[in-house]
Amino acid sequence: MNGQHETSWAAEEFAKVNLGDKRLNARLIKLCDRFSDAPESPINQACADWAETKAAYRFFQNGNVDVGQILAAHCRKTAQRAREHKTVLALQDTSYFVYTSHPKTQGLGKMSLKKGKNVKKIYSNGLIVHTCLAVTTAGLPLGLLDQKIFSRKLRTKKALKAKPHDHLPIEVKESYRWLEALENTKAMVNEIEIVTVCDREADLYDFFRLSHQIGSPVLVRASANRTINRNSRYAEKGVVKLWEFMHLQPEAGSYTIDIPKRPQRSRSKEREARTATIAVRFGSFRFNPPSNNAKHNKEHLPDIEMNAVYVLEQNPPDGEEPLEWMLLTNLPVRSFDEAYDKVQWYCLRWRIEMYFKVLKSGFRVEECRLGRADRLARYLTVMSIVAWRLFMITLIARTDPAAPC
């Protein structure tokens, strides 16, 4: 039985959506309600009857249905919810939606490359989804602040030979999506503190430079053990690396965490449960622009004042890799408490991994057979919003099981 309280969220969420036709607006709300009631079901099973099923397919096939308008209406509501909190985390991450088993689907891009026994190159076909999920510092998802769905276009060997990837400007690289999402997030929620939290793929000079230019706080896990505090673009004697520099900083404090047992996996070895003591160090440094940055010949690339928080497990068991994070931020870090806050915020980055799992395993969106990439993009946009709603409700139910349905 579907009560008014169960389905009214979509009408409220999309009260101001404008798809150019009131019937399309109403269909969007109806689809969100149906998918909320049966998130694991394909389109035809989620709909009430055949007429509703045909209307759903026409919606996703309609070229006048603008994905940007759907997302913008939801993002405005997310920003409204974010304004009720002092600090909000904007979790950025990329997920790959594979449709290789749907060979007739048009407009897909080639993604991960694997080698087979009899075939030199095997590409996975699908769509890339880069999402920015807003969560509170307590971990409650508030909604999406930005999303980009696109097909990967591989560069030809001739193009790679003419200009190596490392020497291309950031604007023409796929990694520019991190900067776009940062700008869009800042524009969407400008009056509160939004801290963008990213994994190692966002460890880019251009990303930190943009965050400095627009005054947007960021927290990124370091990927490269780069040279820091250089006085010029060129090689110098006695330079120091980031990890070496942070090892020299005094220990600010420590904390303990319980590490759960982990079974053997394809990408990780088995791990026994243990209690680990984590030492925390922090320090300031100058982030120098890479010497091969394509913009050196066109403009002055400044050094960026940054802070690092380095956490390292003390005395790990024999044969076990110590837990280690190097976090980079343009937020002030002046005490152990401020450093520990940044560690806790980065721990919440796992929320977006859980969110993608809801989409893939719970909603099974990779089984959809809409036949064209633009139709899949509309479908994924709608399902992404419904997935946020159910993910939020699930977390609330776990933390407050006595709350009303």
Side-chain angles (χ1 to χ4, degrees), residues 36 61 63 75 97 113-114 125 138 166 175 182 191 197 210 240 251 269 276 285 321 328 336 338 341 352-353 356 375:
S36 296
Q61 294 169 5
C75 289
F97 290 76
L113 175 62
K114 297 180 181 180
N125 296 324
D166 289 346
S175 53
L182 180 66
E191 63 275 18
V197 182
L210 176 63
V240 64
E251 183 179 320
K269 64 179 184 178
F285 68 97
E321 290 288 331
L328 309 180
F336 171 78
E338 289 184 344
D341 282 343
I352 196 167
E353 302 283 1
F356 283 133
R375 299 172 185 176

Side-chain angles (χ1 to χ4, degrees), residues 91-93 131 133 349-356:
L91 312 180
Q92 278 196 48
D93 201 11
T131 301
L133 177 69
R349 199 199 69 81
W350 191 249
R351 283 285 192 263
I352 196 167
E353 302 283 1
M354 296 169 64
Y355 166 75
F356 283 133

